[in-house]
Amino acid sequence: PPPTTTTTTTTHHQRKRIFVPISDQFAASRSTFARPGGGYHWSLLLWEIHTRCEISDLGDSGFSKASLSVDVTYHHFDSSRGVNASAADAVATKLHQVLCVPISKEDYTIISYGAFKVIECKTPQQRNGYDCGVFTLGFAEALSSASDDGGVANVKEYLEALLQDWFEENGGHAESALRLRERIGGDIRELALQNE
């Protein structure tokens, strides 16, 4: 009788997070975008890439087949809610068009990148006209501790709660911005002394 063929499938998951600072000038014209030093407001775009790779070993035949699916999500965190929404959308669209190019080879196929949208998240709000950069750095620091296990049911709510907890642990909105500003200043002075 012919040998029986057994198929075993192994699935691997990987999640990558990329922090993209967003300036309000990114939604402007191409010439404005190319001119350095423009813009008045900063926010944070969290670009998450979740890949699932399934490798099927076809047993006695000696062949294997791999398929890869990629989910891309963009969460936007703005300390002046709504100001940078169009800029975040413009940047996410460009990232998606340039970097999410389907690949297909004989033994390795990307199934799908899926549709995407920018998810606007609730964030602590600045109470002045100059702390947007500090809030953006605080958002990045808080979100860098987010879980990578993929077991979170509602990612948006999880990330919003993570931010709220971080700001509360650091003294609230105004105090956390002040503490972060002081810490950044101290880090810069320390680095300057090390390089003298």
Side-chain angles (χ1 to χ4, degrees):
T4 57
T5 301
T6 56
T7 302
T8 56
T9 301
T10 307
T11 304
H12 301 279
H13 294 270
Q14 184 178 46
R15 186 182 298 274
K16 295 283 186 186
R17 288 193 176 97
I18 301 166
F19 297 98
V20 183
I22 301 294
S23 168
D24 57 338
Q25 87 175 59
F26 294 169
S29 67
R30 177 175 275 180
S31 61
T32 303
F33 181 82
R35 189 171 53 244
Y40 299 98
H41 182 62
W42 290 97
S43 60
L44 182 70
L45 185 68
L46 176 61
W47 179 21
E48 288 194 301
I49 305 166
H50 183 204
T51 57
R52 287 180 305 284
C53 180
E54 291 188 355
I55 302 171
S56 299
D57 183 1
L58 304 180
D60 298 335
S61 68
F63 293 102
S64 63
K65 180 79 172 174
S67 64
L68 181 68
S69 63
V70 181
D71 291 327
V72 180
T73 58
Y74 301 90
H75 289 87
H76 184 226
F77 303 89
D78 192 341
S79 61
S80 288
R81 187 170 292 117
V83 171
N84 274 2
S86 60
D89 190 59
V91 170
T93 299
K94 287 179 176 68
L95 288 172
H96 209 74
Q97 288 171 346
V98 172
L99 300 175
C100 295
V101 179
I103 299 170
S104 183
K105 295 183 179 177
E106 189 173 319
D107 294 323
Y108 191 73
T109 304
I110 287 187
I111 299 171
S112 169
Y113 278 107
F116 83 95
K117 68 176 184 173
V118 176
I119 300 166
E120 291 291 331
C121 296
K122 292 178 187 173
T123 66
Q125 298 291 287
Q126 66 189 75
R127 296 188 175 124
N128 56 42
Y130 52 83
D131 269 341
C132 57
V134 176
F135 269 72
T136 297
L137 292 172
F139 295 161
E141 183 172 315
L143 295 168
S144 66
S145 66
S147 171
D148 287 332
D149 66 7
V152 178
N154 187 322
V155 175
K156 179 180 181 283
E157 287 180 4
Y158 167 71
L159 295 174
E160 290 172 345
L162 198 66
L163 275 186
Q164 191 62 42
D165 290 348
W166 187 90
F167 274 83
E168 286 176 8
E169 289 167 8
N170 286 280
H173 300 184
E175 184 65 24
S176 59
L178 179 62
R179 288 180 186 180
L180 188 55
R181 189 183 298 281
E182 289 174 349
R183 196 175 80 210
I184 291 168
D187 290 346
I188 290 170
R189 286 188 289 278
E190 185 177 327
L191 286 170
L193 288 173
Q194 290 175 4
N195 291 321
E196 283 185 348

